[in-house]
Amino acid sequence: MRLKSSLLVAAAAACLLSACATTGSAPMATAGAADAAPFDAARLSEHVRILSDDSFEGRGIATPAEDKVIRYLSEQYAAAGFQPGGPNGAWTQDVTLNRFTVSNASATLKVGDWSHPVRPGQDMVFSTRLPGAEVDLKDAPLVFVGYGIKAPERNWDDFKGQDMRGKILVVLVNDADFEEPSLDTFNGRAMTYYGRWTYKYEEAARQGAAGVIIVHETAPASYGWATVANSWTGPQFDIVRQNAAAERVPLESWIQRDLAVDLFRRAGLDFEALKVQARSRDFQPTALTGASLSAHMDVASEQIVTHNVIARLPGTTHPDETILYTGHWDHLGMGEPDADGDRIFNGAVDNASGTAALLELARAWGRGPRPERSIVMISFTAEESGLLGSEFYAANPVYPLETTVAGFNLDAMNVYGRVENLQVVGWGQSDLDERLAAAAERQGRTTVPEGNPAAGSYFRSDHFPLAKRGVPMAYADGGGDFRDEPKAERQARAGDYGARRYHQAADEWSPDWDFSGQIEDMEVAYWIGRDLADSRDWPGWKPGSEFGPARAASDARRAR
């Protein structure tokens, strides 16, 4: 990877702040001044190039790179005509987190006379989000608890009242319906929150466990081992908790599937047979007889302050009512060198592309007719650490959630060209579905549910903390076949991103990306936002949505 000159970055930023000419604007599929949103492919590309430049060092939070990101975004939002939208007239909202940096880490798996010194990053990854100077576990017993789920409303309990205190829980990723969707215990192939790795750790803490080992399998996780290793190599972060010991286990870890299978075999167990048993409500926790884990790591725990960047365009008639556009600015920062010696995780697609979209959307709103309701752009921090920036904002909103009309989340966007469909993550949840379908139809596209609901995308991006507190949030992007030639080449490049670039150092900007598909997705978000901004509509949740009750509780506080 070649380090680009900071002078080139500065020059490009100056161009974007000025009215310099650009090329590559996507043709609009709309008519009428109110619908005009001249998104510019060249501007999008330049924003992505700058934000994913080596000089931004992978946009790690609470690093010198964060100051560069804040400066760049605030300048661009100001140039678009937006005002500082954070508390007390600032561009930022402080987000206080605990940072955990592990060193001198070692672990050993044992079964009887057999022992295996763990190779960090190769066999297992492990860390902690529990404040303290060290984690020191001696011969902690291992017990397989299936999917590690306790869901009373589904009559499901993988623990069966057994005492898990002091034990290491070995769990499967995803939930019980992934392998056998016809069971329909957890919504078939559409992952529930019970399938998310974050839930596994949270429930283990409630059980009093000493730690968790998640068995990594590519299909149910929806990503390969390299993604896990890269995501867990550096410092880990968490919100500041009043009683962290009740909410976090000392050891959070993942293990390669092949090693897990061997571990089970040495304990006299059949991993595949136990996976089948784990799909049943009758499953019983199963001790790995004679198996234990010893682990030690020194932990440097400290509080840090990172920042959400917030920009606001006040509405003319109903400024206290807000429409959100969100996306995370952070990525993984710098880590261990890959095979090419590259240690900067540039995060061009994830999520410089979505951050660039927010900047272009701000420019469109700033140049168009002033909306009746306020438009707020939030570039969230710490998404890669577990949606922490959006979780903090949702718990400490600058603009009341009950008068937040709706929102649109933009994450890892399509940079390979126009596609046939608009895929809606969480289809069937809110009234925004019909608006998304109507907007996509104007572009000649069909709206469909997300292609892989088993991946749990609804719980993996920054819309989720807002949605679970009742704010209707749309998270949609392009899917299906490409509409322009060379179709096979475009599909191959998109597939290569998921296989070899996602959360890896190879997620870098390319000068030959085709932003026409991203622009169509941005048009959908702009059109719906424009309709809502100049109306008295309040989108809601559909009957049966688990997010409806939170919205209903604030009905009386919204003007009609």
Side-chain angles (χ1 to χ4, degrees):
M1 190 186 321
R2 180 172 60 87
L3 183 63
K4 299 181 179 74
S5 167
S6 59
L7 291 176
L8 290 177
V9 175
C15 174
L16 284 163
L17 283 167
S18 70
C20 61
T22 58
T23 59
S25 298
M28 287 298 299
T30 62
D35 286 333
F39 300 127
D40 192 305
R43 283 181 178 270
L44 284 170
S45 182
E46 190 67 354
H47 285 312
V48 175
R49 187 189 71 79
I50 291 171
L51 288 165
S52 62
D53 185 82
D54 280 6
S55 64
F56 278 73
E57 298 181 333
R59 301 192 306 281
I61 66 174
T63 69
E66 175 166 346
D67 294 334
K68 295 184 68 171
V69 172
I70 292 171
R71 183 166 58 251
Y72 184 79
L73 295 183
S74 59
E75 288 174 350
Q76 297 301 319
Y77 282 133
F82 276 60
Q83 300 175 3
N88 303 315
W91 283 107
T92 59
Q93 178 189 37
D94 292 353
V95 178
T96 302
L97 302 176
N98 282 325
R99 175 168 59 193
F100 307 96
T101 303
V102 168
S103 60
N104 302 319
S106 62
T108 301
L109 289 165
K110 293 182 180 179
V111 183
D113 295 333
W114 174 83
S115 66
H116 178 82
V118 170
R119 298 170 298 171
Q122 299 180 55
D123 298 327
M124 294 179 65
V125 294
F126 43 91
S127 189
T128 189
R129 302 185 201 204
L130 185 64
E134 65 176 4
V135 172
D136 193 41
L137 301 174
K138 300 289 189 183
D139 298 320
L142 306 183
V143 56
F144 176 63
V145 293
Y147 289 92
I149 295 171
K150 185 173 183 178
E153 78 283 2
R154 297 172 189 264
N155 191 27
W156 192 280
D157 183 0
D158 281 328
F159 305 98
K160 302 298 190 295
Q162 295 188 23
D163 187 358
M164 298 296 162
R165 288 175 295 179
K167 298 177 182 178
I168 304 294
L169 310 187
V170 183
V171 303
L172 301 170
V173 71
N174 214 303
D175 56 42
D177 286 1
F178 178 83
E179 303 287 352
E180 196 173 344
S182 60
L183 294 172
D184 200 28
T185 311
F186 292 89
N187 299 351
R189 289 299 292 270
M191 184 196 288
T192 65
Y193 188 62
Y194 294 116
R196 287 286 290 140
W197 60 265
T198 50
Y199 168 80
K200 314 288 185 180
Y201 296 142
E202 292 165 1
E203 184 58 47
R206 287 189 283 269
Q207 297 292 326
V212 178
I213 302 175
I214 299 176
V215 180
H216 174 264
E217 296 183 279
T218 298
S222 80
Y223 39 74
W225 179 257
T227 296
V228 175
N230 291 335
S231 301
W232 286 79
T233 298
Q236 302 299 304
F237 298 85
D238 195 15
I239 59 174
V240 177
R241 300 174 184 271
Q242 287 187 339
N243 186 8
E247 301 179 63
R248 290 298 186 206
V249 291
L251 178 77
E252 299 180 347
S253 69
W254 293 69
I255 188 172
Q256 286 264 38
R257 181 187 186 280
D258 288 348
L259 179 56
V261 171
D262 186 45
L263 178 67
F264 276 59
R265 180 183 62 80
R266 292 177 183 275
L269 300 172
D270 184 327
F271 177 76
E272 288 298 331
L274 282 170
K275 275 187 66 176
V276 174
Q277 294 177 30
R279 302 173 201 167
S280 169
R281 286 188 173 90
D282 296 329
F283 167 80
Q284 292 288 327
T286 303
L288 277 70
T289 304
S292 66
L293 174 74
S294 295
H296 178 87
M297 44 186 161
D298 294 329
V299 183
S301 303
E302 60 180 330
Q303 285 195 1
I304 59 96
V305 178
T306 181
H307 304 85
N308 293 326
V309 181
I310 307 177
R312 181 173 183 255
L313 185 68
T316 57
T317 309
H318 305 285
D320 294 335
E321 299 172 3
T322 301
I323 294 169
L324 291 180
Y325 290 90
T326 66
H328 70 96
W329 62 257
D330 67 299
H331 198 55
L332 302 179
M334 295 190 292
E336 294 299 317
D338 64 9
D340 298 321
D342 190 347
R343 61 188 298 261
I344 298 177
F345 292 82
N346 303 76
V349 171
D350 184 19
N351 185 35
S353 65
T355 303
L358 291 182
L359 298 177
E360 265 295 274
L361 279 160
R363 192 173 72 92
W365 279 103
R367 290 164 60 104
R370 184 59 65 90
E372 295 179 11
R373 286 165 156 168
S374 295
I375 307 301
V376 172
M377 305 281 172
I378 309 181
S379 298
F380 285 123
T381 186
E383 189 268 359
E384 300 290 7
S385 302
L387 315 183
L388 300 182
S390 54
E391 179 67 30
F392 186 91
Y393 179 86
N396 304 275
V398 179
Y399 305 99
L401 299 187
E402 60 266 24
T403 53
T404 297
V405 180
F408 305 86
N409 190 56
L410 305 165
D411 193 355
M413 303 191 73
N414 168 23
V415 295
Y416 305 108
R418 300 186 308 146
V419 288
E420 292 180 344
N421 301 329
L422 181 71
Q423 291 190 142
V424 180
V425 178
W427 173 265
Q429 288 279 6
S430 83
D431 299 341
L432 293 173
D433 289 353
E434 286 70 29
R435 294 176 183 266
L436 291 165
E441 185 177 3
R442 293 166 65 180
Q443 299 169 327
R445 293 200 286 171
T446 302
T447 304
V448 297
E450 61 187 298
N452 183 20
S457 297
Y458 200 79
F459 314 106
R460 291 171 56 182
S461 197
D462 283 318
H463 64 285
F464 181 61
L466 292 154
K468 70 182 182 181
R469 288 173 173 84
V471 179
M473 294 290 296
Y475 182 26
D477 55 17
D481 294 335
F482 285 93
R483 294 156 69 187
D484 302 311
E485 296 292 349
K487 296 180 181 180
E489 179 181 329
R490 295 175 190 274
Q491 187 59 53
R493 295 183 70 187
D496 179 71
Y497 172 76
R500 299 196 309 112
R501 301 181 186 279
Y502 172 64
H503 276 209
Q504 300 183 52
D507 184 4
E508 299 196 63
W509 170 82
S510 173
D512 58 352
W513 278 344
D514 182 346
F515 286 87
S516 58
Q518 173 169 335
I519 285 174
E520 285 194 331
D521 295 341
M522 292 166 58
E523 286 174 348
V524 167
Y526 179 83
W527 295 340
I528 299 173
R530 173 61 68 181
D531 289 343
L532 290 173
D534 296 329
S535 77
R536 304 305 301 135
D537 293 347
W538 293 92
W541 298 95
K542 292 184 176 180
S545 170
E546 60 266 45
F547 308 118
R551 192 66 163 179
S554 60
D555 279 347
R557 301 186 64 178
R558 287 188 292 279
R560 296 292 180 182

Tab-separated table of all heavy atoms in Angstrom, residues 13 28 33 44 57 59 84 92 110 221 232 252 278 281 285 301-302 306 313 350 365 468 494 499 552:
chain	number	residue	atom	x	y	z
A	13	ALA	N	-9.442	18.143	-0.525
A	13	ALA	CA	-10.436	18.669	0.409
A	13	ALA	C	-10.799	20.109	0.058
A	13	ALA	O	-11.963	20.497	0.109
A	13	ALA	CB	-9.905	18.595	1.840
A	28	MET	N	-30.805	11.886	-13.088
A	28	MET	CA	-31.893	11.804	-12.134
A	28	MET	C	-33.082	11.090	-12.754
A	28	MET	O	-33.365	11.230	-13.934
A	28	MET	CB	-32.324	13.211	-11.694
A	28	MET	CG	-31.329	13.878	-10.759
A	28	MET	SD	-31.123	12.956	-9.233
A	28	MET	CE	-32.793	13.030	-8.624
A	33	ALA	N	-38.732	20.465	-9.086
A	33	ALA	CA	-37.669	21.093	-8.311
A	33	ALA	C	-37.513	20.468	-6.939
A	33	ALA	O	-36.410	20.311	-6.423
A	33	ALA	CB	-37.961	22.592	-8.167
A	44	LEU	N	-18.554	11.860	-4.610
A	44	LEU	CA	-18.607	10.670	-3.764
A	44	LEU	C	-17.275	9.940	-3.773
A	44	LEU	O	-16.734	9.570	-2.723
A	44	LEU	CB	-19.710	9.729	-4.254
A	44	LEU	CG	-21.153	10.114	-3.936
A	44	LEU	CD1	-22.109	9.204	-4.692
A	44	LEU	CD2	-21.416	10.015	-2.437
A	57	GLU	N	-5.233	6.422	8.622
A	57	GLU	CA	-4.838	5.282	9.466
A	57	GLU	C	-6.007	4.389	9.868
A	57	GLU	O	-6.100	3.913	10.998
A	57	GLU	CB	-4.091	5.786	10.707
A	57	GLU	CG	-2.810	6.527	10.352
A	57	GLU	CD	-2.058	7.012	11.571
A	57	GLU	OE1	-2.706	7.258	12.616
A	57	GLU	OE2	-0.820	7.135	11.489
A	59	ARG	N	-9.089	5.107	10.339
A	59	ARG	CA	-10.141	5.788	11.099
A	59	ARG	C	-10.457	5.089	12.428
A	59	ARG	O	-11.611	4.879	12.800
A	59	ARG	CB	-11.425	5.930	10.260
A	59	ARG	CG	-11.238	6.701	8.966
A	59	ARG	CD	-12.551	7.071	8.296
A	59	ARG	NE	-13.410	5.926	8.068
A	59	ARG	CZ	-13.267	5.042	7.068
A	59	ARG	NH1	-12.287	5.187	6.185
A	59	ARG	NH2	-14.105	4.040	6.932
A	84	PRO	N	-23.750	23.271	13.132
A	84	PRO	CA	-23.369	22.285	14.152
A	84	PRO	C	-24.611	21.754	14.851
A	84	PRO	O	-25.471	22.532	15.279
A	84	PRO	CB	-22.490	23.084	15.112
A	84	PRO	CG	-21.974	24.224	14.292
A	84	PRO	CD	-23.075	24.572	13.333
A	92	THR	N	-19.886	18.034	17.568
A	92	THR	CA	-19.732	16.671	18.065
A	92	THR	C	-20.516	16.432	19.340
A	92	THR	O	-20.825	17.364	20.094
A	92	THR	CB	-18.252	16.349	18.338
A	92	THR	OG1	-17.738	17.273	19.302
A	92	THR	CG2	-17.424	16.424	17.064
A	110	LYS	N	-7.034	-28.013	27.546
A	110	LYS	CA	-6.622	-29.326	28.041
A	110	LYS	C	-7.803	-30.283	28.034
A	110	LYS	O	-8.940	-29.890	28.319
A	110	LYS	CB	-6.080	-29.223	29.474
A	110	LYS	CG	-4.777	-28.469	29.620
A	110	LYS	CD	-4.322	-28.466	31.072
A	110	LYS	CE	-3.013	-27.707	31.268
A	110	LYS	NZ	-2.593	-27.702	32.681
A	221	ALA	N	-22.143	-17.561	10.660
A	221	ALA	CA	-21.627	-16.249	11.068
A	221	ALA	C	-21.816	-15.224	9.968
A	221	ALA	O	-21.954	-14.034	10.232
A	221	ALA	CB	-20.150	-16.357	11.426
A	232	TRP	N	-10.907	-8.619	16.314
A	232	TRP	CA	-10.624	-8.846	17.729
A	232	TRP	C	-9.152	-8.705	18.070
A	232	TRP	O	-8.749	-8.968	19.203
A	232	TRP	CB	-11.122	-10.237	18.134
A	232	TRP	CG	-12.604	-10.283	18.249
A	232	TRP	CD1	-13.501	-10.387	17.231
A	232	TRP	CD2	-13.375	-10.197	19.439
A	232	TRP	NE1	-14.782	-10.373	17.712
A	232	TRP	CE2	-14.736	-10.262	19.069
A	232	TRP	CE3	-13.052	-10.092	20.790
A	232	TRP	CZ2	-15.773	-10.205	20.006
A	232	TRP	CZ3	-14.086	-10.037	21.715
A	232	TRP	CH2	-15.421	-10.093	21.320
A	252	GLU	N	-14.061	-13.144	26.610
A	252	GLU	CA	-14.864	-13.216	25.393
A	252	GLU	C	-13.963	-13.769	24.293
A	252	GLU	O	-12.894	-13.206	24.036
A	252	GLU	CB	-15.393	-11.837	25.004
A	252	GLU	CG	-16.283	-11.206	26.060
A	252	GLU	CD	-16.807	-9.837	25.664
A	252	GLU	OE1	-16.290	-9.257	24.678
A	252	GLU	OE2	-17.728	-9.344	26.332
A	278	ALA	N	-28.858	-29.438	19.685
A	278	ALA	CA	-29.018	-28.052	20.127
A	278	ALA	C	-30.180	-27.345	19.445
A	278	ALA	O	-30.577	-26.255	19.870
A	278	ALA	CB	-27.721	-27.280	19.878
A	281	ARG	N	-35.770	-27.814	21.932
A	281	ARG	CA	-36.038	-27.244	23.251
A	281	ARG	C	-35.601	-28.186	24.368
A	281	ARG	O	-35.377	-27.756	25.497
A	281	ARG	CB	-37.527	-26.945	23.408
A	281	ARG	CG	-38.022	-25.737	22.625
A	281	ARG	CD	-39.463	-25.426	23.000
A	281	ARG	NE	-39.919	-24.181	22.407
A	281	ARG	CZ	-40.508	-24.088	21.214
A	281	ARG	NH1	-40.699	-25.183	20.491
A	281	ARG	NH2	-40.889	-22.913	20.750
A	285	PRO	N	-27.519	-28.910	28.649
A	285	PRO	CA	-26.100	-28.533	28.664
A	285	PRO	C	-25.241	-29.780	28.827
A	285	PRO	O	-25.585	-30.695	29.591
A	285	PRO	CB	-25.990	-27.601	29.874
A	285	PRO	CG	-27.375	-27.080	30.076
A	285	PRO	CD	-28.303	-28.184	29.666
A	301	SER	N	-7.068	-0.950	31.158
A	301	SER	CA	-8.420	-0.396	31.055
A	301	SER	C	-8.367	1.103	31.287
A	301	SER	O	-7.759	1.561	32.257
A	301	SER	CB	-9.345	-1.041	32.099
A	301	SER	OG	-9.383	-2.431	31.959
A	302	GLU	N	-8.997	1.834	30.420
A	302	GLU	CA	-9.037	3.288	30.585
A	302	GLU	C	-10.279	3.840	29.910
A	302	GLU	O	-10.822	3.238	28.981
A	302	GLU	CB	-7.796	3.937	29.971
A	302	GLU	CG	-7.638	3.689	28.480
A	302	GLU	CD	-6.404	4.343	27.898
A	302	GLU	OE1	-6.011	5.391	28.423
A	302	GLU	OE2	-5.859	3.815	26.912
A	306	THR	N	-14.661	9.459	22.568
A	306	THR	CA	-14.740	9.534	21.118
A	306	THR	C	-15.976	10.365	20.773
A	306	THR	O	-16.632	10.886	21.676
A	306	THR	CB	-14.770	8.122	20.498
A	306	THR	OG1	-14.813	8.222	19.073
A	306	THR	CG2	-15.962	7.319	20.988
A	313	LEU	N	-29.841	20.888	9.683
A	313	LEU	CA	-30.463	21.913	8.840
A	313	LEU	C	-31.832	22.196	9.437
A	313	LEU	O	-32.750	21.378	9.310
A	313	LEU	CB	-30.593	21.412	7.397
A	313	LEU	CG	-31.124	22.415	6.370
A	313	LEU	CD1	-30.116	23.541	6.132
A	313	LEU	CD2	-31.456	21.705	5.066
A	350	ASP	N	-16.543	0.102	3.779
A	350	ASP	CA	-17.102	0.044	5.134
A	350	ASP	C	-16.307	0.960	6.069
A	350	ASP	O	-15.313	0.524	6.649
A	350	ASP	CB	-17.059	-1.404	5.614
A	350	ASP	CG	-17.692	-1.619	6.980
A	350	ASP	OD1	-18.470	-0.753	7.413
A	350	ASP	OD2	-17.386	-2.651	7.600
A	365	TRP	N	-29.535	18.574	0.323
A	365	TRP	CA	-30.505	19.265	1.172
A	365	TRP	C	-30.180	20.749	1.283
A	365	TRP	O	-31.074	21.595	1.279
A	365	TRP	CB	-30.521	18.639	2.561
A	365	TRP	CG	-31.335	17.383	2.659
A	365	TRP	CD1	-30.887	16.101	2.701
A	365	TRP	CD2	-32.761	17.308	2.714
A	365	TRP	NE1	-31.941	15.221	2.788
A	365	TRP	CE2	-33.101	15.936	2.798
A	365	TRP	CE3	-33.782	18.263	2.700
A	365	TRP	CZ2	-34.430	15.500	2.874
A	365	TRP	CZ3	-35.103	17.823	2.786
A	365	TRP	CH2	-35.414	16.459	2.863
A	468	LYS	N	-34.939	-0.028	18.153
A	468	LYS	CA	-35.431	-0.726	19.343
A	468	LYS	C	-35.999	0.242	20.373
A	468	LYS	O	-36.684	-0.191	21.307
A	468	LYS	CB	-34.342	-1.599	19.954
A	468	LYS	CG	-33.199	-0.881	20.618
A	468	LYS	CD	-32.168	-1.888	21.134
A	468	LYS	CE	-31.009	-1.211	21.848
A	468	LYS	NZ	-29.999	-2.181	22.324
A	494	ALA	N	-18.074	-7.563	-6.666
A	494	ALA	CA	-18.884	-7.476	-5.443
A	494	ALA	C	-18.662	-8.707	-4.570
A	494	ALA	O	-18.547	-8.593	-3.337
A	494	ALA	CB	-20.357	-7.337	-5.811
A	499	ALA	N	-15.658	-11.738	0.175
A	499	ALA	CA	-14.781	-12.877	0.458
A	499	ALA	C	-13.398	-12.456	0.939
A	499	ALA	O	-12.807	-13.121	1.799
A	499	ALA	CB	-14.640	-13.740	-0.799
A	552	ALA	N	-45.476	3.494	20.506
A	552	ALA	CA	-46.832	3.776	20.987
A	552	ALA	C	-46.820	4.523	22.311
A	552	ALA	O	-47.695	5.351	22.576
A	552	ALA	CB	-47.613	2.472	21.120
